[in-house]
Amino acid sequence: MNGNYHHRAPEYQEEMVEIDVQRAPNSPFMNHSEDQMLPRSVPPYRPGHSPSLNDEFGSNTWPLPGNESFIHTPVDSRSATPSLYPSNHQFQSHQSLAALVDTPPSPVLAKDWVQPGSIAQLYDRDDAEIWKGWRRWLFRFVPVFTFANTALYLFYLGLRIYCVIMAQKYSGYIYAGAWVFIAIEIAVAIPSQMHNCWTMLALKKRNRPKLRLTGDDVPTVDVFITCCGEEDEVVLDTVRGAIWQDYPRDRFRVIVLDDAKSPTLEASVNQLARIHTNVFYMAREKIPGKPHHFKAGNLNYGLDAVHELPGGAGKFMAALDADMIPEPEWLRAVLPHLLVDPRMALACPPQLFYNTPSSDPLAQSLDFFVHVIEPIKDAMGVAWCTGSGYVVRREALDEIGNFPLGSLAEDVATSTLMLGKGWHTAYVHEPLQFGTVPEDYGGHLKQRTRWAIGTVDTAVKLKFCLWGDAVRQMSAAQRFSGFLYATLSLYTLLLTASLFAIPIILLWGKQLVAYATTEELRWLIWACFATTISNRLCEFALFSPAGYHTGQRGSRYQLWMSPYIALCIVRSFILPRWLGGQAQAFKPTGSLGSALNERDPKHRRNMAVRMWVIMVNYMATFHLLFVYVTLAAVVVSSYRCFAQNSGFRDIIMCLITHAFWPPLTFLFICTSLWTPIAYAVDPPNMPDREDLLDRDPKTGVAHPTRQSKKIAFGGQAAWFELEYTTATVATILVFVYSFFF
């Protein structure tokens, strides 16, 4: 290994062995004295210089929902000007870089396959090393399991409706409670069945190889690091990780785009710039009262500003969030996917995290999305930009007018507009960047509601990807994907309404499952049993790439987060200002006196303060009331069964058809909605961020330790697994008992 990595921990050296094989021995920025990495000389610049720009982006926004026009960032924002440092080629990145792909990738995994100026193929699949064995074999059956589960559920639902109709004909009585229960099941089933339809498309095999760009004849890249008020050390760790890429120094620049204009961060970046001449600090002027468009505006500022730097703009642009530390092979791993396809506009790796607490109680890891959903979407040609770590072709950005403004989800909007123009996008399923999840409950809510509202807002402006000039060249699969993932957030309205109905119908005391004869009840139980077991098998197979417990956390997350997302949707898109409508983001009520520091065992606020803030300021009172009212309703319903029936068989039949219809759905809902309260009472403990990093004492470069990259299995995960097992066992027992009616 090269000298600059000798000071890594043993486990990190082991991780980097494969990358060592592919490095060209004459890399222009490596100092083989093993003391330091020396950059090649580049034209001098003034550290900290932020060029003044004449172009302003604040006045150009997307239209509000309902407007007919679709306004982009100005096309003449100079992304069309010459962009290679050493050359003057315009818009021909795929032609001028053709020499890089003249030599076909070699499938031989040995040192002799490294050829300067070529792209090497390490494996047939980019995720060959992170996901293998029995899980990959099992995942092949996901379409079969999903199809069977969908068919069984539709049969079960049709049988439920048929039995209610027959029961009403037989008794002449309207089973209102049964109809309400069916309506709740349908409301919950709509998004899940839509998702099942998409999941069945996993039948299409994904063929994205694991590639590496070798040699020194590589394209130029401008790496943007966007920040706005984050801690200096967090940003600087990302900057150092970007600087120490296994990439020629004269072929990439690291540009910190600081929207907070932090004097201390500027001084620290300028200090790095004195050693590394490819590092720049920039901060745009934000005029009070004039829209600055947050991250999209900051990125567009950087796209324009790099033309003022020596050599002009790079052929490609890459972006990192302030807390996302890239792995040393990041650029060499992502860029080949753009070079082998001249119509590839954007390639992005997953967002992974190194400070996720054990059991991940708030489902912050995104593992199910990045390890299951995104690969399926990539196979269908509809990979989304994940917001960090992506590399984009400047030509494609120019065609859509740079990053679209006026959206809280500029990453989704950007990739969607590129697909609408006929460009391709790629998802590189490799662990190439690691960042941090929000360390407090309020930060998590704001992040997730912003994502959800931004996705819906973008979908409204793009007409849900169904028609219009912006999506004209999209395929049917791309349109369906855009429509599906936009509407899933809207279905939280139905899900939240159904949550309100559950305790009401239980307190109502009406029969939830109606039938005319014992034979009909037996068939209902059999269909319910088959649906439940097939659903468990489907979940186990579908969740296998990310881990079974990861998928289950996601299922619970959808339930307890739905009231927050639904409230934001109502406030953002339905209510007028005078009735409580507000900006498109979650806003806590009241005043937060100080941070809870809930994950710091030394400085966390006491339980009374935590409970007050989460229950009142963050409105978890709804969750608490729902759980207690629902459990009280179950007790009342059960008491009625014992009071109104005398025989064992009658009592059991009453319990089954009222509160305890398998698979004990109320239990899963209550434990899921208990999440905020359990978090307030017993938040997870996390060590200091520095303890999660392995830092090189000479260079200061830090990368997450092997252990911090994984989510530990904790007591909460064990508790929920016990709950799932109990519900499954109860379903089996009811199924067995049905033979003895």
Side-chain angles (χ1 to χ4, degrees):
M1 224 172 195
N2 292 308
N4 53 301
Y5 291 110
H6 277 178
H7 297 283
R8 297 243 175 261
E11 67 269 20
Y12 189 76
Q13 293 182 16
E14 184 179 352
E15 273 189 286
M16 296 295 294
V17 165
E18 180 183 276
I19 306 305
D20 177 61
V21 173
Q22 69 176 358
R23 284 181 181 159
N26 58 345
S27 183
F29 59 95
M30 300 301 299
N31 178 9
H32 294 279
S33 66
E34 301 197 357
D35 290 328
Q36 58 182 346
M37 181 184 288
L38 296 179
R40 281 189 172 185
S41 60
V42 298
Y45 81 106
R46 180 157 49 90
H49 173 61
S50 177
S52 60
L53 302 176
N54 296 322
D55 295 349
E56 296 292 342
F57 300 99
S59 60
N60 297 281
T61 64
W62 281 13
L64 293 174
N67 288 8
E68 296 298 323
S69 61
F70 191 87
I71 304 174
H72 299 280
T73 307
V75 177
D76 60 349
S77 59
R78 293 191 292 178
S79 57
T81 58
S83 58
L84 253 188
Y85 309 156
S87 73
N88 293 319
H89 295 295
Q90 268 187 339
F91 291 137
Q92 301 297 324
S93 57
H94 61 284
Q95 295 180 14
S96 60
L97 299 174
L100 296 178
V101 293
D102 282 348
T103 303
S106 170
V108 182
L109 302 181
K111 288 186 177 181
D112 58 2
W113 59 253
V114 178
Q115 301 181 34
S118 67
I119 295 175
Q121 179 174 318
L122 277 66
Y123 294 99
D124 291 337
R125 289 189 55 133
D126 53 3
D127 54 8
E129 293 182 293
I130 63 174
W131 176 40
K132 52 190 174 182
W134 66 268
R135 292 192 300 170
R136 188 179 292 280
W137 179 85
L138 178 63
F139 191 75
R140 296 177 182 176
F141 294 92
V142 165
V144 177
F145 287 140
T146 305
F147 180 80
N149 178 247
T150 302
L152 285 171
Y153 181 80
L154 293 177
F155 171 77
Y156 164 71
L157 192 61
L159 185 62
R160 285 281 309 279
I161 295 173
Y162 169 79
C163 289
V164 174
I165 294 175
M166 295 304 296
Q168 291 182 163
K169 288 183 177 180
Y170 180 80
S171 64
Y173 174 77
I174 297 178
Y175 288 88
W179 285 117
V180 173
F181 191 36
I182 290 175
I184 293 173
E185 288 188 321
I186 293 176
V188 175
I190 288 175
S192 64
Q193 294 306 315
M194 288 178 63
H195 191 270
N196 280 354
C197 292
W198 174 254
T199 303
M200 279 188 282
L201 296 178
L203 187 62
K204 181 175 180 179
K205 187 177 180 181
R206 179 173 177 268
N207 296 309
R208 191 168 300 286
K210 183 172 184 178
L211 305 176
R212 284 297 183 273
L213 182 61
T214 65
D216 301 335
D217 185 14
V218 295
T220 54
V221 186
D222 289 319
V223 178
F224 292 158
I225 298 176
T226 54
C227 54
C228 186
E230 293 84 359
E231 295 180 9
D232 287 1
E233 278 306 311
V234 172
V235 179
L236 291 173
D237 280 340
T238 302
V239 174
R240 295 187 193 102
I243 292 173
W244 289 81
Q245 284 292 298
D246 179 17
Y247 207 78
R249 281 300 177 88
D250 59 347
R251 309 300 287 176
F252 81 104
R253 291 184 296 219
V254 177
I255 302 162
V256 179
L257 300 175
D258 183 13
D259 246 4
K261 286 189 175 181
S262 167
T264 56
L265 179 61
E266 180 179 8
S268 298
V269 173
N270 287 341
Q271 186 175 2
L272 286 172
R274 295 187 184 97
I275 304 173
H276 309 280
T277 56
N278 62 339
V279 176
F280 296 79
Y281 174 91
M282 295 182 181
R284 58 177 172 155
E285 180 183 1
K286 294 195 287 188
I287 302 174
K290 185 176 181 179
H292 51 84
H293 303 298
F294 308 104
K295 185 177 178 180
N298 197 13
L299 287 168
N300 284 343
Y301 169 84
L303 286 172
D304 198 70
V306 291
H307 291 278
E308 305 294 332
L309 297 180
K315 279 191 174 292
F316 293 91
M317 187 221 88
L320 291 166
D321 280 351
D323 61 332
M324 277 287 172
I325 302 175
E327 295 291 280
E329 66 272 23
W330 166 51
L331 289 178
R332 288 193 180 272
V334 177
L335 268 166
H337 297 276
L338 291 105
L339 299 178
V340 297
D341 181 359
R343 293 298 297 172
M344 186 66 68
L346 180 147
C348 56
Q351 284 198 41
L352 303 173
F353 307 96
Y354 62 88
N355 70 329
T356 309
S358 63
S359 294
D360 190 15
L362 301 183
Q364 296 176 281
S365 67
L366 298 178
D367 278 0
F368 180 67
F369 180 78
V370 302
H371 294 310
V372 180
I373 300 302
E374 275 289 85
I376 294 176
K377 293 173 65 180
D378 185 40
M380 301 306 299
V382 63
W384 272 357
C385 175
T386 54
S388 177
Y390 58 89
V391 180
V392 62
R393 193 185 297 271
R394 289 293 299 255
E395 179 186 354
L397 272 176
D398 182 74
E399 186 170 345
I400 67 169
N402 289 346
F403 291 94
L405 306 176
S407 172
L408 295 175
E410 83 292 330
D411 46 3
V412 175
T414 299
S415 47
T416 304
L417 289 175
M418 287 177 172
L419 293 172
K421 292 290 186 181
W423 289 94
H424 305 157
T425 57
Y427 180 70
V428 184
H429 196 187
E430 293 188 54
L432 298 172
Q433 60 174 345
F434 290 87
T436 57
V437 299
E439 295 184 345
D440 63 287
Y441 185 78
H444 174 68
L445 292 186
K446 292 176 184 178
Q447 180 193 67
R448 295 306 175 88
T449 53
R450 184 178 69 250
W451 289 355
I453 300 305
T455 301
V456 173
D457 181 53
T458 300
V460 170
K461 293 165 181 174
L462 291 173
K463 301 175 183 177
F464 290 92
C465 297
L466 297 179
W467 74 92
D469 292 337
V471 297
R472 186 174 302 278
Q473 298 186 51
M474 275 190 173
S475 65
Q478 291 169 342
R479 291 172 190 261
F480 177 58
S481 175
F483 173 80
L484 171 64
Y485 286 96
T487 53
L488 284 179
S489 295
L490 293 176
Y491 277 114
T492 57
L493 297 172
L494 285 176
L495 182 57
T496 303
S498 67
L499 291 177
F500 280 101
I502 289 174
I504 294 176
I505 61 174
L506 287 174
L507 289 173
W508 194 7
K510 300 296 182 179
Q511 189 172 331
L512 301 184
V513 180
Y515 56 94
T517 64
T518 303
E519 189 65 21
E520 288 183 3
L521 177 60
R522 184 178 289 113
W523 273 98
L524 283 172
I525 291 175
W526 291 351
C528 181
F529 168 79
T531 302
T532 301
I533 299 303
S534 68
N535 185 62
R536 292 287 186 265
L537 292 174
C538 184
E539 288 178 341
F540 188 76
L542 179 62
F543 298 162
S544 59
Y548 176 69
H549 297 289
T550 298
Q552 293 292 2
R553 281 194 296 269
S555 300
R556 296 192 298 270
Y557 163 84
Q558 291 177 359
L559 283 171
W560 72 263
M561 270 296 296
S562 62
Y564 291 114
I565 296 176
L567 178 62
C568 287
I569 289 175
V570 170
R571 287 179 173 177
S572 300
F573 300 102
I574 299 176
L575 289 181
R577 292 280 180 173
W578 59 274
L579 275 180
Q582 58 178 273
Q584 297 170 357
F586 177 79
K587 292 185 178 180
T589 60
S591 175
L592 302 180
S594 61
L596 294 178
N597 292 320
E598 63 257 34
R599 299 185 186 180
D600 186 343
K602 297 179 180 178
H603 302 99
R604 68 165 56 114
R605 304 296 295 273
N606 60 58
M607 189 174 69
V609 175
R610 298 197 306 267
M611 289 292 292
W612 176 265
V613 171
I614 292 178
M615 298 289 294
V616 178
N617 296 88
Y618 294 117
M619 297 179 284
T621 305
F622 166 81
H623 298 72
L624 180 67
L625 291 177
F626 174 87
V627 171
Y628 276 105
V629 172
T630 301
L631 292 178
V634 170
V635 172
V636 171
S637 177
S638 302
Y639 172 78
R640 288 187 182 129
C641 289
F642 283 97
Q644 297 173 3
N645 299 277
S646 55
F648 175 80
R649 176 183 178 278
D650 293 338
I651 293 175
I652 295 298
M653 298 278 279
C654 178
L655 290 173
I656 291 175
T657 57
H658 285 71
F660 291 91
W661 182 252
L664 307 184
T665 305
F666 79 90
L667 181 63
F668 176 73
I669 295 175
C670 285
T671 53
S672 298
L673 267 77
W674 189 254
T675 297
I677 297 91
Y679 182 86
V681 173
D682 185 24
N685 295 327
M686 284 299 295
D688 292 337
R689 192 179 71 90
E690 190 64 26
D691 295 334
L692 302 173
L693 298 172
D694 179 19
R695 189 177 299 278
D696 189 303
K698 284 190 175 182
T699 64
V701 178
H703 289 279
T705 63
R706 182 184 295 272
Q707 184 177 4
S708 68
K709 295 176 181 179
K710 300 178 181 180
I711 301 175
F713 183 86
Q716 188 185 74
W719 164 254
F720 279 115
E721 185 53 42
L722 176 63
E723 172 207 321
Y724 293 133
T725 303
T726 301
T728 304
V729 170
T731 303
I732 295 173
L733 292 176
V734 171
F735 171 72
V736 173
Y737 182 71
S738 67
F739 289 94
F740 300 96
F741 283 170

